[in-house]
Amino acid sequence: MSLQGKRIVVGLGGGIAAFKAVELVRELMRRGAEVRVVMTEAATHFVGPITFAGLTGKPAVTDLWAEDYAGEVHVELGDWADAIVIAPATMNLMARASSGQANDAVLATLACARGDVFFAPAMHARMWSHPAMQSNIQTLRARGAVVLGPVTGPLANGEIGEGRMMEPEDIAEAIESHLVHSDDLSGSRILITAGPTHEDLDPVRYLGNRSSGRMGYAIASRAQHRGAEVTIVSGPVHLPVPSGAEVVRVRSAEEMHAAVMSRFEHFDVVIMAAAVADYRPERRATRKIKKGKSLKLELVRNPDILADVGAKRARRPSVLVGFALETENLEQSARDKLERKAADLIVANEASAGLGGDTNRATLVDAATATPLPEMTKRALADQVLDRVRTLLNNSSQRSRLETEHEAPN
Ligand code: C5P
């Protein structure tokens, strides 16, 4: 019953997955939430408002012009809800939401949202990958909406593809983890490195890696949501910055090193999720290198940012977290790294999972324990890492309190 006391509006678009919204409403209520339903006119062709009235005990709002609502029901619902979840979110509905339209009950309620907004897209895979859809999703995300799915599986016409709505239980789980964590990191300042680094060879070429930055940005977004003050030191990525977070953009490992070293003492927590290049070209040519028969590159070592923070930190950061991508001896290699870089926690990934994708499988290694986690979304892993960070922060403030008491003269 961990959604006890939470108020959730479920908004339906007109798609075949609308029948699953019935199960979603039930699941949210089973978890203790109070639920109200709003529907587009199209949605009412797929599932009847009476079904939701029966489940929730309140009429489903389908029409802003209905006399019972006195014209302000969207304002009242937007104000009332801790969260609004649009499921199914159709291509059309999200296009209208991203352009700020408010011409039906669902969109007008969304426009008045005071709480968190979630979209659970459901459509054919070709519609989902359409550039217009993807750019609308970017817009909605940039405004702070959380997009849940879609997942890959059988679509309405029997084809297999990415476009299937997430299962109601998974949607409810994601909303619950989002809502219940609110504010448990408030008061802490967190610095996160994210993305790859690009090591320039000449004005047009560089050495890089396939990191998308999604893991670091997921941590930033969750930390921000949980009340932390967040700064991202970001390599070159194509990701929206979580609203409210500060971003410092860099290209190379040396730039990232400088950005982190000049800031880390102001942060309670430093999390190094960037895939920093270990080497850079010894020289960066000032002009484009001409084609020859062959080309020999001399590479030199980059500074290890995590190890440098580990070696130089005094009072801050209280918690230092590193990532490790390993192909073998996962736990032992992570433990070596923990010691060598003086970190408090290493998030160890198997090299086969993670890089560039939406999910990750990791083992959390600290001084005393190693906890293997199942494969999960990067968002869910971000919460697991932050749960650990919160525990480490609490331990460290307890330790410094005891030390102060010990040092204090009687
Ligand atoms: O030693 P390895 O590269 O496996 O360590 C990975 C961890 O160290 C990651 O947290 C990464 O962000 C950090 N790192 C760094 N600077 C480097 C190399 C790695 O901060 N030059």
Side-chain angles (χ1 to χ4, degrees):
M1 296 290 270
S2 30
L3 283 174
Q4 192 70 45
K6 299 289 181 200
R7 302 191 285 204
I8 300 179
V9 167
V10 175
L12 280 79
I16 189 73
F19 76 93
K20 288 204 218 167
V22 177
E23 189 50 40
L24 175 62
V25 168
R26 273 168 53 102
E27 183 59 32
L28 293 169
M29 292 176 70
R30 239 195 315 265
R31 291 169 186 242
E34 199 181 330
V35 178
R36 300 281 308 268
V37 173
V38 288
M39 304 171 75
T40 62
E41 207 264 328
T44 63
H45 293 287
F46 290 91
V47 54
I50 294 288
T51 307
F52 295 109
L55 281 174
T56 64
K58 292 268 165 56
V61 180
T62 57
D63 178 6
L64 286 179
W65 305 108
E67 281 173 12
D68 350 349
Y69 308 138
E72 288 295 305
V73 68
H74 53 296
V75 181
E76 181 216 309
L77 283 178
D79 210 34
W80 173 85
D82 297 304
I84 299 181
V85 53
I86 307 299
T90 59
M91 183 175 188
N92 182 277
L93 201 151
M94 286 186 282
R96 292 192 292 136
S98 79
S99 68
Q101 294 183 43
N103 51 353
D104 66 24
V106 174
L107 289 167
T109 305
L110 263 181
C112 293
R114 292 222 305 187
D116 296 310
V117 173
F118 300 84
F119 289 92
M123 65 196 71
H124 188 271
R126 277 198 298 283
M127 295 170 91
W128 173 246
S129 62
H130 193 287
M133 181 69 262
Q134 288 305 309
S135 105
N136 290 335
I137 280 288
Q138 294 273 4
T139 306
L140 294 170
R141 278 206 177 110
R143 288 194 201 129
V146 178
V147 180
L148 305 172
V151 294
T152 300
L155 305 172
N157 67 351
E159 283 179 60
I160 307 281
E162 188 183 7
R164 196 179 152 81
M165 190 168 95
M166 255 169 94
E167 291 307 316
E169 202 178 329
D170 297 334
I171 297 175
E173 183 65 34
I175 293 173
E176 183 177 315
S177 93
H178 207 90
L179 293 186
V180 296
H181 282 305
S182 304
D183 278 351
D184 66 343
L185 290 171
S186 78
S188 22
R189 304 195 66 202
I190 305 189
L191 177 78
I192 299 159
T193 69
T197 63
H198 287 179
E199 310 297 326
D200 289 341
L201 285 166
D202 68 18
V204 291
R205 302 185 182 95
Y206 61 84
L207 299 176
N209 61 65
R210 283 195 230 151
S211 162
S212 64
R214 281 194 213 148
M215 191 64 237
Y217 274 64
I219 297 176
S221 149
R222 295 303 301 143
Q224 180 77 24
H225 185 83
R226 291 168 67 162
E229 216 178 295
V230 173
T231 297
I232 311 173
V233 175
S234 175
V237 296
H238 303 281
L239 293 173
V241 177
S243 61
E246 182 198 15
V247 65
V248 180
R249 294 191 192 276
V250 298
R251 260 180 79 72
S252 64
E254 282 184 303
E255 284 175 18
M256 189 174 275
H257 184 258
V260 172
M261 297 316 284
S262 62
R263 288 178 175 78
F264 77 85
E265 284 173 331
H266 304 296
F267 289 85
D268 306 299
V269 180
V270 172
I271 301 176
M272 303 278 200
V276 185
D278 290 322
Y279 300 94
R280 67 176 180 278
E282 188 184 26
R283 268 186 310 277
R284 177 183 187 277
T286 49
R287 298 197 184 159
K288 187 179 168 206
I289 300 169
K290 291 255 186 265
K291 252 200 278 315
K293 226 171 144 201
S294 66
L295 174 69
K296 272 216 170 68
L297 288 178
E298 185 75 27
L299 302 179
V300 293
R301 276 297 292 268
N302 269 327
D304 188 320
I305 312 170
L306 176 56
D308 273 4
V309 173
K312 298 208 171 97
R313 73 165 155 159
R315 215 168 59 80
R316 278 193 170 149
S318 314
V319 179
L320 179 59
V321 182
F323 275 69
L325 191 69
E326 306 290 352
T327 47
E328 56 209 304
N329 295 336
L330 192 74
E331 190 186 326
Q332 192 49 48
S333 312
R335 200 162 287 295
D336 291 346
K337 221 157 271 182
L338 192 76
E339 281 166 29
R340 194 154 34 82
K341 305 199 185 201
D344 304 297
L345 178 70
I346 293 283
V347 184
N349 301 300
E350 282 169 40
S352 57
L355 213 64
D358 273 326
T359 60
N360 213 339
R361 197 171 50 246
T363 299
L364 302 185
V365 179
D366 64 18
T369 60
T371 316
L373 300 172
E375 180 159 350
M376 59 181 78
T377 62
K378 290 184 173 174
R379 237 189 101 241
L381 180 59
D383 271 323
Q384 296 276 345
V385 172
L386 291 170
D387 286 351
R388 229 13 128 72
V389 163
R390 195 195 45 210
T391 310
L392 290 164
L393 264 177
N394 290 346
N395 292 350
S396 112
S397 68
Q398 236 163 30
R399 246 194 335 270
S400 56
R401 223 183 10 254
L402 284 176
E403 278 163 17
T404 324
E405 278 167 20
H406 191 69
E407 283 162 16
N410 292 326

